Amino acid sequence: REQILEGWYVMKDGRFRGTLLDGLIVEFEGRLLGPQDPGVVVGPGGMRYVLGEAARNAATAQPWQDKPKSGFLPEGTLQIAVAAASAAAAAIIVVLGVTGMLQKP
């Protein structure tokens, strides 16, 4: 079973936080599956979370904490978002290649 995680970001302790489609806010330790299943994080009990839109500004998503002085997202958030987007793009290219939709020059 998969859940879509919207407004997600990675907290300073490395845990994921986001909102499920039913409005439930979740925090959990998880791991990105990587290129074999791009944009998917496996959390506790093997629950699969599909990363939807990332939080635009983690500082406003965490109102109980002080805003970062640099104004950037917490460490690791941008790297994870870029890795997930890159993996998703690579998966699309592989699918197009396998199905013959990419044309050879």
Side-chain angles (χ1 to χ4, degrees):
R1 184 172 170 219
E2 293 182 338
Q3 296 275 353
I4 297 176
L5 191 64
E6 294 290 344
W8 64 271
Y9 58 95
V10 179
M11 299 177 3
K12 289 184 180 186
D13 64 2
R15 296 170 9 123
F16 288 84
R17 180 181 171 94
T19 306
L20 302 179
L21 293 179
D22 64 3
L24 181 66
I25 296 173
V26 295
E27 289 182 8
F28 60 92
E29 290 182 12
R31 64 179 172 80
L32 281 168
L33 291 181
Q36 66 270 23
D37 211 350
V40 176
V41 176
V42 175
M47 176 62 78
R48 294 167 55 94
Y49 295 91
V50 178
L51 298 177
E53 187 173 336
R56 292 180 187 251
N57 184 350
T60 59
Q62 303 178 65
W64 62 89
Q65 295 181 350
D66 292 334
K67 291 184 180 179
K69 291 178 182 166
S70 66
F72 291 104
L73 296 174
E75 262 181 61
T77 302
L78 183 57
Q79 291 89 344
I80 289 174
V82 169
S86 297
I92 290 169
I93 291 171
V94 168
V95 169
L96 291 175
V98 169
T99 59
M101 294 184 74
L102 286 178
Q103 297 192 8
K104 295 179 183 177

